[in-house]
């Protein structure tokens, strides 16, 4: 118990600009600090470092998407100026019991506080940050795209956009891309057609390829981003084709690989849905004079699933699977270029 009290004293003394100036603490002050620590443990323990500029009224702590403003010098006018880099969604007093108004005042990001000081030691304002989720994972290839040089005059650059089947290709059978340096892998594990559509411009169009290989659909069927109809999945894929065509990029439209189950989405029975989606993709490719790449036929077994010898599970190809896919995609690319 004494060790815990000593730890509390050291914590508060280190944090508080008020008590750090005192040489001796009274029993009353000690009790107040212990009580304050219990009340504000959310803002004290397991917090991380932050890059916000230290304010003159106290300091900040942060935990995930929440910033805590520890106020020792309460503003007399009730206007707390905080770092403009803090992307405020909502500010609260008492950890959520009371919302506080936040707005720009004369260029300063300002939280409006009650005029009366709630706590003599320090008052903590909880600031919920605006979500900044990179839903489509645009940052994944941001640096690589910047570093990728423009294609040479006679270079037939090809970009592969897809999910884990494309993403893992470099990892599990990287010799294919090493042997074909004009091929650029832009696959991201777990992605759906909607996410690929959103990143199609930075990860495909802006790389100026002559051909794009589009492989999408299985994660949509798995429900990775929620339920979606087969028609809507196909629509997202067709939108990528239309974007490519509008930017004078030839298209290879790949079928979805066979699968009978998803380990991460056990309630889904994908086999017949994959067949239905592939029919839509093939029909669209024929109607719009786009090269259709059929991975499905040579890789499917009698149960509408991925041949065991070609997969490391029921969905993802192994090295032998990529051995089957590689000559097929090269032939399709050549056809698109011709």
């Amino acid at each position: 118990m004494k060790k815990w009290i000593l730890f509390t004293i050291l914590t508060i003394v280190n944090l508080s600009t008020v008590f750090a100036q005192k040489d001796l603490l009274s029993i009353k002050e000690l009790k107040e600090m212990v009580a304050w620590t219990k009340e504000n443990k959310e803002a004290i323990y397991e917090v991380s470092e932050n890059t916000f500029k230290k304010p003159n009224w106290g300091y900040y702590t942060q935990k995930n998407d929440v910033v805590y403003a520890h106020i020792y010098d309460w503003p007399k006018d009730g206007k707390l100026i905080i770092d403009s880099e803090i992307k405020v969604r909502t500010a609260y007093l008492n950890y959520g019991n009371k919302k506080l108004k936040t707005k720009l005042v004369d260029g300063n990001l300002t939280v409006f506080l009650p005029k009366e000081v709630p706590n003599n030691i320090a008052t903590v304002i909880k600031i919920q940050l605006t979500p900044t989720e990179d839903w489509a994972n645009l940052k994944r290839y941001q640096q690589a795209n910047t570093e990728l040089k423009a294609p040479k005059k006679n270079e037939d650059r090809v970009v592969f956009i897809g999910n884990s089947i494309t993403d893992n290709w470099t990892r599990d059978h990287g010799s294919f891309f090493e042997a074909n340096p004009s091929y650029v892998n832009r696959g991201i594990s777990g992605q759906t057609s909607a996410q690929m559509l959103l990143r199609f411009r930075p990860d495909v169009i802006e790389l100026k390829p002559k051909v794009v290989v589009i492989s999408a659909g299985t994660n949509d069927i798995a429900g990775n981003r929620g339920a979606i109809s087969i028609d809507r999945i196909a629509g997202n894929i067709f939108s990528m084709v239309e974007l490519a065509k509008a930017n004078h990029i030839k298209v290879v439209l790949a079928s979805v690989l066979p699968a009978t189950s998803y380990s991460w989405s056990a309630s889904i029975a994908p086999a017949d849905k994959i067949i239905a989606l592939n029919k839509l993709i093939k029909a669209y490719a024929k109607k719009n004079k786009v090269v259709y790449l059929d991975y499905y036929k040579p890789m499917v077994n009698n149960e509408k699933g991925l041949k065991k010898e070609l997969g490391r599970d029921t969905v993802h190809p192994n090295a032998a699977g990529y051995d089957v896919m590689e000559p097929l995609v090269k032939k399709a690319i050549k056809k698109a270029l011709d």
Side-chain angles (χ1 to χ4, degrees):
M1 183 65 180
K2 288 182 180 179
K3 288 183 178 179
W4 183 84
I5 294 174
L6 178 59
F7 173 75
T8 302
I9 294 171
L10 292 174
T11 300
I12 302 302
V13 169
N14 285 329
L15 296 180
S16 173
T17 56
V18 176
F19 286 108
Q21 297 173 0
K22 294 191 176 185
D23 296 324
L24 187 64
L25 297 172
S26 68
I27 296 299
K28 181 182 178 182
E29 288 171 333
L30 175 58
K31 288 181 178 180
E32 287 176 353
M33 287 198 308
V34 170
W36 185 91
T37 303
K38 287 182 178 179
E39 291 172 6
N40 296 280
K41 60 183 179 180
E42 178 183 331
I44 297 173
Y45 300 112
E46 298 180 4
V47 293
S48 60
E49 293 183 6
N50 62 78
T51 58
F52 304 125
K53 185 178 179 181
K54 189 179 184 304
N56 56 14
W57 42 256
Y59 65 95
Y60 303 108
T61 57
Q62 185 171 358
K63 187 182 297 181
N64 299 322
D65 58 352
V66 174
V67 170
Y68 302 94
H70 299 242
I71 309 168
Y72 294 108
D73 295 324
W74 195 260
K76 293 180 180 179
D77 60 0
K79 297 177 181 178
L80 183 75
I81 297 174
I82 62 174
D83 193 321
S84 59
E85 293 300 314
I86 299 176
K87 307 304 180 186
V88 181
R89 183 174 189 176
T90 313
Y92 299 98
L93 191 63
N94 298 330
Y95 296 94
N97 290 338
K98 183 178 180 181
K99 286 186 178 181
L100 299 172
K101 182 180 178 183
T102 307
K103 64 180 291 187
L104 280 175
V105 178
D106 299 327
N108 295 315
L109 186 56
T110 306
V111 179
F112 289 81
L113 305 174
K115 290 186 177 180
E116 187 175 337
V117 181
N119 193 292
N120 291 328
I121 296 177
T123 299
V124 176
I125 302 300
K126 181 177 180 178
I127 301 171
Q128 182 71 49
L129 300 178
T130 301
T132 56
E133 181 189 4
D134 183 6
W135 184 78
N137 206 349
L138 297 173
K139 291 182 180 178
R140 165 70 185 275
Y141 291 110
Q142 189 175 54
Q143 185 63 32
N145 291 344
T146 301
E147 294 173 354
L148 185 67
K149 294 179 180 179
K152 296 176 182 178
K153 187 176 181 180
N154 296 317
E155 180 183 346
D156 293 331
R157 175 171 290 173
V158 180
V159 173
F160 290 64
I161 188 168
N163 46 48
S164 56
I165 294 167
T166 302
D167 195 357
N168 296 345
W169 205 328
T170 300
R171 184 194 69 190
D172 296 341
H173 218 245
S175 58
F176 176 65
F177 287 92
E178 291 170 6
N180 298 277
S182 61
Y183 292 179
V184 181
N185 190 331
R186 290 296 181 262
I188 296 182
S189 181
Q191 283 215 324
T192 62
S193 59
Q195 291 171 299
M196 293 180 216
L197 177 57
L198 191 59
R199 66 182 178 90
F200 198 81
R201 183 167 296 279
D203 285 351
V204 179
I205 295 170
E206 292 176 4
L207 304 186
K208 302 187 182 304
K210 286 189 179 178
V211 179
V212 61
V213 179
I214 302 172
S215 303
T218 201
N219 285 326
D220 298 78
I221 292 171
N224 281 22
R225 291 290 171 177
I228 182 172
S229 69
I230 299 298
D231 286 340
R232 183 54 53 215
I233 300 168
N236 289 337
I237 294 170
F238 302 160
S239 290
M240 285 188 267
V241 176
E242 290 160 10
L243 279 171
K245 281 189 166 185
N247 287 276
H248 312 291
I249 301 169
K250 303 291 185 181
V251 177
V252 171
L253 199 49
S255 69
V256 180
L257 270 65
T260 51
S261 64
Y262 299 121
S263 60
W264 67 94
S265 189
S267 63
I268 302 294
D272 290 333
K273 293 179 180 180
I274 289 172
I275 292 172
L277 179 57
N278 282 341
K279 284 182 179 179
L280 292 178
I281 294 172
K282 185 176 181 179
Y284 177 89
K286 183 178 180 180
K287 181 179 179 180
N288 292 276
K289 298 180 179 179
V290 170
V291 176
Y292 177 69
L293 170 56
D294 192 353
Y295 289 136
Y296 187 89
K297 281 185 182 178
M299 302 184 78
V300 69
N301 61 24
N302 294 332
E303 287 78 39
K304 304 178 187 176
L306 184 62
K307 289 179 180 178
K308 189 174 182 180
E309 66 271 20
L310 300 181
R312 58 183 178 85
D313 53 29
T314 60
V315 179
H316 302 92
N318 55 19
Y322 286 119
D323 278 335
V324 172
M325 295 168 65
E326 286 166 7
L328 294 174
V329 72
K330 288 193 76 173
K331 184 178 179 180
I333 290 167
K334 185 177 185 301
K335 186 176 180 180
L337 287 168
D338 292 342

